[in-house]
Structure formats: structure tokens, C-alpha cells
Amino acid sequence: MVKDNYEHIQLHVSDGYLLIKRTFDIMASLIALIILIIPFVIVSICIIMDDFGSPIYSQIRVGKNGKRFRMYKFRSMVKNADAIKQKLIEQNEIEGAMFKMKEDPRVTRVGRFIRKHSIDELPQLWNVLCGHMSIVGPRPPLPEEVAKYTDYDKQRLLVEPGCTGLWQVTSRNDVDFAGMVDLDLEYIEKQSLKLDLWIMFKTVAIIFKPNGAY
């Protein structure tokens, strides 16, 4: 749904908040990457045993102000997933500039588990450490998705994208693309240290008690 005559969202964040957020991102991502070395190795071995190929999948995504970067994830799909996607476009279950299928045939057995518990997103901690992403923020979109954005949708790109966000810990798969955009813009307008901490707490809880990710 295209929103006409909308008011541009207002950014009400201080330099202090941004400094604290970036400092936390660096420290948290670095510590987490060190702690998770062994789990990363275990997950990588499981992926290789389930579907021979690289355990890490990288993809070009769009970040703050339209800047592109290479995002990393644990591979949860078959090796030729991008090519197969073109044959599945008509089966997209979400209206708008995003592709989602609940029973996506490209997802592997290990992939279903790591996606359900959001484990596949953990390599993005490297993107956080490098400054491409933040721990909390809107989901980083694909270039082809951004090409379909309205001016309203493009406001999602006003901040650094995140590993987790308001959409992921609330409605997630219960809303369409327009609903996701509204939640992202709500976060951008209300962002604060308190909100970031609440989203991170909810994210940890979801890892152990999934909220319907697929």
C-alpha cells in the first residue's frame, strides 16, 4: 500500500546516544564473536554435513542512506537458492518489496532449525563490528527490494540496519511488508537506549522460544 500525503518521520536522537550505541555495538559484537567461536564451528560443521558447500552465505544489502555492503549469514538454504528464487517469485506470501514463503523448498534441514532460532543471523555480528550494521535497527533490504520502495518506504534507510529490531521481536511474520515498514519507522522515531535494550532482551528470549520465524 502506497501512503500518500504522509509526514516525514522526525529523528530525535542526540550525538551522545549515537556514540553510546556505536560503542556498545563494537564491544558487544567483539565479545560475542569471541565467545561464539566454538558454536560457530559446530554450526558450520552441521551445515557442511547436511548440504556440502560453504557454511557462510554472503549477499549485497542496502544500509544507511542507500550505501551497499556485503552481509554475512549462516547458509540455511541450498547452494543455488538465488537461482531457484526466480522460479518461486509467484509464490511469494508477502505483499510488497520482500520475499517470504513459509514452506520455502530451498531451506535445508539444518537451515530450518537455525532460522527458527535466528542462529543464521549471528555472523552479522561481523558486520556490526565493521560498522555496516548495528545490533538494533531495521532489516537490511536487498537492492532489488529498494528499487521497488516508495519515498515512504525509503525512510527505513535513515539509520543503520540491524541484526534485530522492533519488527523481529513483535509481529514478525504476522504482518505484511507495509506493516514491517511501519514498525521500522516507529522504531526510528522512538529509538533510545531503553528501547534498544528492550529489543535485545526480547531477541535473546526469542532464540530460546521462537516467535514463528521461517
PDB file of all heavy atoms in Angstrom, residues 45-58:
ATOM      1  N   ILE A  45      29.976 -27.040  10.805  1.00  0.00           N
ATOM      2  CA  ILE A  45      30.125 -28.463  10.508  1.00  0.00           C
ATOM      3  C   ILE A  45      28.775 -29.090  10.183  1.00  0.00           C
ATOM      4  O   ILE A  45      28.647 -29.893   9.242  1.00  0.00           O
ATOM      5  CB  ILE A  45      30.790 -29.198  11.692  1.00  0.00           C
ATOM      6  CG1 ILE A  45      32.244 -28.741  11.845  1.00  0.00           C
ATOM      7  CG2 ILE A  45      30.720 -30.716  11.506  1.00  0.00           C
ATOM      8  CD1 ILE A  45      32.937 -29.282  13.083  1.00  0.00           C
ATOM      9  N   CYS A  46      27.746 -28.725  10.945  1.00  0.00           N
ATOM     10  CA  CYS A  46      26.397 -29.254  10.704  1.00  0.00           C
ATOM     11  C   CYS A  46      25.888 -28.861   9.319  1.00  0.00           C
ATOM     12  O   CYS A  46      25.272 -29.676   8.611  1.00  0.00           O
ATOM     13  CB  CYS A  46      25.439 -28.755  11.779  1.00  0.00           C
ATOM     14  SG  CYS A  46      25.719 -29.431  13.421  1.00  0.00           S
ATOM     15  N   ILE A  47      26.138 -27.631   8.924  1.00  0.00           N
ATOM     16  CA  ILE A  47      25.695 -27.154   7.610  1.00  0.00           C
ATOM     17  C   ILE A  47      26.412 -27.911   6.500  1.00  0.00           C
ATOM     18  O   ILE A  47      25.784 -28.348   5.517  1.00  0.00           O
ATOM     19  CB  ILE A  47      25.944 -25.637   7.474  1.00  0.00           C
ATOM     20  CG1 ILE A  47      25.039 -24.864   8.439  1.00  0.00           C
ATOM     21  CG2 ILE A  47      25.686 -25.173   6.028  1.00  0.00           C
ATOM     22  CD1 ILE A  47      25.342 -23.374   8.512  1.00  0.00           C
ATOM     23  N   ILE A  48      27.719 -28.095   6.646  1.00  0.00           N
ATOM     24  CA  ILE A  48      28.505 -28.800   5.636  1.00  0.00           C
ATOM     25  C   ILE A  48      28.063 -30.254   5.520  1.00  0.00           C
ATOM     26  O   ILE A  48      27.934 -30.801   4.414  1.00  0.00           O
ATOM     27  CB  ILE A  48      30.007 -28.725   5.979  1.00  0.00           C
ATOM     28  CG1 ILE A  48      30.496 -27.281   5.863  1.00  0.00           C
ATOM     29  CG2 ILE A  48      30.822 -29.634   5.053  1.00  0.00           C
ATOM     30  CD1 ILE A  48      31.910 -27.064   6.375  1.00  0.00           C
ATOM     31  N   MET A  49      27.801 -30.899   6.639  1.00  0.00           N
ATOM     32  CA  MET A  49      27.367 -32.302   6.628  1.00  0.00           C
ATOM     33  C   MET A  49      25.977 -32.458   6.029  1.00  0.00           C
ATOM     34  O   MET A  49      25.664 -33.469   5.399  1.00  0.00           O
ATOM     35  CB  MET A  49      27.389 -32.861   8.052  1.00  0.00           C
ATOM     36  CG  MET A  49      28.787 -33.011   8.640  1.00  0.00           C
ATOM     37  SD  MET A  49      28.762 -33.653  10.340  1.00  0.00           S
ATOM     38  CE  MET A  49      28.050 -35.287  10.074  1.00  0.00           C
ATOM     39  N   ASP A  50      25.134 -31.453   6.211  1.00  0.00           N
ATOM     40  CA  ASP A  50      23.754 -31.515   5.715  1.00  0.00           C
ATOM     41  C   ASP A  50      23.670 -31.209   4.220  1.00  0.00           C
ATOM     42  O   ASP A  50      22.893 -31.836   3.489  1.00  0.00           O
ATOM     43  CB  ASP A  50      22.880 -30.525   6.490  1.00  0.00           C
ATOM     44  CG  ASP A  50      21.406 -30.629   6.119  1.00  0.00           C
ATOM     45  OD1 ASP A  50      20.906 -31.761   5.981  1.00  0.00           O
ATOM     46  OD2 ASP A  50      20.772 -29.572   5.964  1.00  0.00           O
ATOM     47  N   ASP A  51      24.480 -30.268   3.760  1.00  0.00           N
ATOM     48  CA  ASP A  51      24.410 -29.864   2.351  1.00  0.00           C
ATOM     49  C   ASP A  51      25.790 -29.316   1.964  1.00  0.00           C
ATOM     50  O   ASP A  51      26.094 -28.165   2.201  1.00  0.00           O
ATOM     51  CB  ASP A  51      23.348 -28.777   2.169  1.00  0.00           C
ATOM     52  CG  ASP A  51      23.194 -28.337   0.725  1.00  0.00           C
ATOM     53  OD1 ASP A  51      22.790 -29.160  -0.097  1.00  0.00           O
ATOM     54  OD2 ASP A  51      23.497 -27.163   0.437  1.00  0.00           O
ATOM     55  N   PHE A  52      26.617 -30.161   1.398  1.00  0.00           N
ATOM     56  CA  PHE A  52      28.013 -29.807   1.099  1.00  0.00           C
ATOM     57  C   PHE A  52      28.122 -28.429   0.448  1.00  0.00           C
ATOM     58  O   PHE A  52      27.444 -28.130  -0.520  1.00  0.00           O
ATOM     59  CB  PHE A  52      28.641 -30.868   0.200  1.00  0.00           C
ATOM     60  CG  PHE A  52      28.789 -32.205   0.867  1.00  0.00           C
ATOM     61  CD1 PHE A  52      27.932 -33.250   0.555  1.00  0.00           C
ATOM     62  CD2 PHE A  52      29.762 -32.404   1.829  1.00  0.00           C
ATOM     63  CE1 PHE A  52      28.050 -34.481   1.182  1.00  0.00           C
ATOM     64  CE2 PHE A  52      29.890 -33.636   2.461  1.00  0.00           C
ATOM     65  CZ  PHE A  52      29.031 -34.679   2.135  1.00  0.00           C
ATOM     66  N   GLY A  53      28.999 -27.631   1.006  1.00  0.00           N
ATOM     67  CA  GLY A  53      29.201 -26.281   0.488  1.00  0.00           C
ATOM     68  C   GLY A  53      29.624 -25.357   1.611  1.00  0.00           C
ATOM     69  O   GLY A  53      29.742 -25.765   2.771  1.00  0.00           O
ATOM     70  N   SER A  54      29.838 -24.103   1.291  1.00  0.00           N
ATOM     71  CA  SER A  54      30.270 -23.130   2.296  1.00  0.00           C
ATOM     72  C   SER A  54      29.192 -22.943   3.366  1.00  0.00           C
ATOM     73  O   SER A  54      28.014 -22.808   3.045  1.00  0.00           O
ATOM     74  CB  SER A  54      30.574 -21.782   1.628  1.00  0.00           C
ATOM     75  OG  SER A  54      30.819 -20.791   2.612  1.00  0.00           O
ATOM     76  N   PRO A  55      29.585 -22.916   4.643  1.00  0.00           N
ATOM     77  CA  PRO A  55      28.597 -22.703   5.700  1.00  0.00           C
ATOM     78  C   PRO A  55      28.171 -21.241   5.812  1.00  0.00           C
ATOM     79  O   PRO A  55      27.149 -20.929   6.427  1.00  0.00           O
ATOM     80  CB  PRO A  55      29.337 -23.146   6.967  1.00  0.00           C
ATOM     81  CG  PRO A  55      30.770 -22.889   6.657  1.00  0.00           C
ATOM     82  CD  PRO A  55      30.922 -23.208   5.200  1.00  0.00           C
ATOM     83  N   ILE A  56      28.957 -20.348   5.206  1.00  0.00           N
ATOM     84  CA  ILE A  56      28.649 -18.920   5.259  1.00  0.00           C
ATOM     85  C   ILE A  56      28.094 -18.457   3.916  1.00  0.00           C
ATOM     86  O   ILE A  56      28.608 -18.793   2.851  1.00  0.00           O
ATOM     87  CB  ILE A  56      29.901 -18.089   5.607  1.00  0.00           C
ATOM     88  CG1 ILE A  56      30.423 -18.473   6.995  1.00  0.00           C
ATOM     89  CG2 ILE A  56      29.592 -16.601   5.550  1.00  0.00           C
ATOM     90  CD1 ILE A  56      29.480 -18.141   8.136  1.00  0.00           C
ATOM     91  N   TYR A  57      27.035 -17.687   3.993  1.00  0.00           N
ATOM     92  CA  TYR A  57      26.400 -17.121   2.800  1.00  0.00           C
ATOM     93  C   TYR A  57      26.506 -15.611   2.885  1.00  0.00           C
ATOM     94  O   TYR A  57      26.242 -15.015   3.925  1.00  0.00           O
ATOM     95  CB  TYR A  57      24.929 -17.540   2.753  1.00  0.00           C
ATOM     96  CG  TYR A  57      24.119 -16.871   1.675  1.00  0.00           C
ATOM     97  CD1 TYR A  57      24.236 -17.265   0.347  1.00  0.00           C
ATOM     98  CD2 TYR A  57      23.212 -15.852   1.989  1.00  0.00           C
ATOM     99  CE1 TYR A  57      23.472 -16.659  -0.647  1.00  0.00           C
ATOM    100  CE2 TYR A  57      22.457 -15.246   1.006  1.00  0.00           C
ATOM    101  CZ  TYR A  57      22.590 -15.659  -0.307  1.00  0.00           C
ATOM    102  OH  TYR A  57      21.843 -15.057  -1.280  1.00  0.00           O
ATOM    103  N   SER A  58      26.946 -14.994   1.800  1.00  0.00           N
ATOM    104  CA  SER A  58      27.041 -13.535   1.789  1.00  0.00           C
ATOM    105  C   SER A  58      26.160 -12.969   0.686  1.00  0.00           C
ATOM    106  O   SER A  58      25.926 -13.626  -0.336  1.00  0.00           O
ATOM    107  CB  SER A  58      28.491 -13.085   1.584  1.00  0.00           C
ATOM    108  OG  SER A  58      28.956 -13.419   0.291  1.00  0.00           O
TER     109      SER A  58
END
